Amino acid sequence: MNRKPAGHLSPIVLKIFLTISFILPVVIILIPFIAEIKFIAAQRLAQKYLWKDAQQRFQAAMRIDPFDAAVPAGFAELLRNIGLNHFDENIFFINSAKLYNRALELDPFNAEYALRLAEIEIILFIHGKAKDNNVLIEAVEHLKRALKNDPNGF
């Protein structure tokens, strides 16, 4: 009988293990950089008013790195700006509010995100598009949060 000693790996298994142990850290390191490239591209497209392309890049960056608060916040800002130019389509403000909420979940002490969210909630309330009247209470809470987190910033 031709048995190999216990703990011995076949050459194929060893090659697979070494390949994975090399590639996995490289992929883990590159993911945030790829997301950052998409994010920067989205910001540049937004500055050029190429909003559809910018939306696609923001979405791609969020899929790649869903834990970077700047990405949903940047996307929220884009949708807010589109909403300001298309006041009759409140879906932009509604989606912007959802994205700012996500950004605040990721970065709860960011005063700018809280301030922008309050602004959007007030806009929705004024135009009668808020889901309920509690939106004003939420807006005031977000304003308080912004002041608490950055009292010298305003």
Side-chain angles (χ1 to χ4, degrees):
M1 192 170 349
N2 208 0
R3 296 185 85 177
K4 294 181 183 180
H8 183 272
L9 297 175
S10 72
I12 293 174
V13 172
L14 185 60
K15 286 179 184 178
I16 291 171
F17 175 76
L18 290 174
T19 302
I20 290 172
S21 64
F22 173 74
I23 292 175
L24 190 60
V26 170
V27 169
I28 290 171
I29 290 169
L30 286 179
I31 286 175
F33 291 115
I34 294 168
E36 183 73 16
I37 289 167
K38 298 277 186 191
F39 177 66
I40 292 168
Q43 289 180 314
R44 288 186 179 147
L45 289 166
Q47 289 172 347
K48 295 177 184 176
Y49 301 98
L50 299 171
W51 291 336
K52 287 192 186 259
D53 293 335
Q55 286 180 49
Q56 292 172 348
R57 293 296 193 309
F58 276 120
Q59 289 169 337
M62 285 176 56
R63 279 192 303 274
I64 294 168
D65 187 2
F67 303 107
D68 183 357
V71 178
F75 194 6
E77 184 68 12
L78 171 70
L79 294 179
R80 176 190 159 277
N81 290 338
I82 295 171
L84 291 173
N85 286 291
H86 295 72
F87 236 72
D88 54 327
E89 299 179 42
N90 289 301
I91 192 69
F92 294 111
F93 289 120
I94 292 166
N95 288 334
S96 180
K98 289 177 185 175
L99 288 164
Y100 272 124
N101 271 314
R102 175 65 181 145
L104 277 170
E105 288 173 8
L106 296 169
D107 186 0
F109 298 104
N110 191 302
E112 182 182 347
Y113 302 164
L115 181 64
R116 289 291 193 199
L117 181 55
E119 175 190 20
I120 291 166
E121 290 167 339
I122 291 168
I123 289 170
L124 288 170
F125 180 80
I126 289 171
H127 291 279
K129 302 299 180 183
K131 59 185 176 218
D132 57 37
N133 289 338
N134 289 335
V135 75
L136 274 184
I137 295 168
E138 291 174 20
V140 169
E141 290 303 315
H142 287 117
L143 288 172
K144 287 179 184 177
R145 181 179 186 173
L147 286 170
K148 178 183 174 192
N149 291 337
D150 190 4
N152 298 322
F154 300 99

